[in-house]
Amino acid sequence: MGPHVFSIYVNDLPLVVRHCLYILFADDTQLSIAGPPSQLESLLAKLKEDLDRVIAWLKLHGMKLNAAKTQLIMLGSAKNLGRLGRVSIEVDGVTIESSETLNSLGLVFDSKLTWVNQINKMSRSFHPVARSLYPLRNLMSSEHFRLVFNACANSLLQYMSIIWGTASKKDLRILERSLRSSARVLL
């Protein structure tokens, strides 16, 4: 089915979620729950309850959870995460272990929210795109070239920057170096 029909088909899925916040994006559903480390067992029980309800809803509607793509991440301070260790939850007969990173709609979260993985990913993807634009600079006016560069390359650096832009100045310098290097090559 197409994306619009699928969206209509799953629009009542959030009605079964009782404890978690949810995000629906196309065929990607994310549940999140927050609380202090002292309530970890209770939070995991509530998450499990909501997951079981989602799985029952999926089965009722002729769909199933893709356990291979199901991920779990705990976000928090290094101190709290170290104290809690790895966490796991059983989902539809499959044990899902907490991981250090999670990719969500192109944004790479790490458990301590340092954004280092996101910044490195962006830096690696930025250079090839910027370099591929180099041959175009002599084929168009500088104004048009700037528009193309901003649309193709700068947009990579700005994607979800409102979230990852809280990274440390040291880590953000990686992106600054990428921009400066590309500016020298292109201009």
Side-chain angles (χ1 to χ4, degrees):
M1 63 179 80
H4 296 298
V5 175
F6 182 81
S7 293
I8 293 168
Y9 192 70
V10 299
N11 73 348
D12 64 332
L13 174 61
L15 298 176
V16 303
V17 178
R18 291 196 174 149
H19 306 291
C20 297
L21 297 172
Y22 56 85
I23 297 171
L24 299 175
F25 184 80
D27 65 343
D28 186 18
T29 301
Q30 299 175 8
L31 300 179
S32 64
I33 193 161
S38 60
Q39 295 179 2
L40 180 62
E41 293 303 318
S42 170
L43 294 168
L44 289 173
K46 289 177 180 179
L47 175 62
K48 171 93 171 97
E49 180 185 331
D50 277 354
L51 282 168
D52 288 342
R53 294 173 60 79
V54 166
I55 290 167
W57 183 93
L58 290 169
K59 287 178 181 172
L60 181 69
H61 290 83
M63 294 182 278
K64 70 180 213 173
L65 180 76
N66 186 344
K69 288 187 174 182
T70 303
Q71 296 177 291
L72 171 66
I73 190 169
M74 293 187 0
L75 305 174
S77 69
K79 181 180 175 183
N80 283 335
L81 292 172
R83 209 171 0 153
L84 296 173
R86 286 231 183 243
V87 173
S88 64
I89 190 167
E90 188 173 311
V91 178
D92 205 23
V94 177
T95 300
I96 309 296
E97 298 267 338
S98 61
S99 61
E100 290 296 312
T101 61
L102 179 132
N103 192 327
S104 175
L105 304 175
L107 183 66
V108 182
F109 287 85
D110 62 274
S111 59
K112 297 170 190 86
L113 294 177
T114 64
W115 304 111
V116 172
N117 294 303
Q118 173 69 18
I119 288 169
N120 288 334
K121 174 190 160 200
M122 291 169 50
S123 181
R124 283 190 310 271
S125 64
F126 178 78
H127 285 291
V129 171
R131 288 188 195 284
S132 70
L133 295 174
Y134 182 74
L136 298 176
R137 72 182 172 87
N138 293 324
L139 300 174
M140 57 182 74
S141 70
S142 61
E143 182 182 339
H144 285 119
F145 182 74
R146 266 194 310 266
L147 286 172
V148 170
F149 180 81
N150 282 330
C152 297
N154 259 357
S155 61
L156 291 173
L157 296 182
Q158 293 176 8
Y159 180 68
M160 292 198 183
S161 61
I162 196 164
I163 297 171
W164 61 261
T166 59
S168 73
K169 287 182 180 183
K170 175 187 155 230
D171 294 327
L172 289 173
R173 283 191 200 106
I174 296 168
L175 293 178
E176 184 181 335
R177 281 193 299 271
S178 294
L179 267 174
R180 287 175 191 259
S181 168
S182 295
R184 281 191 296 276
V185 168
L186 294 169
L187 303 174

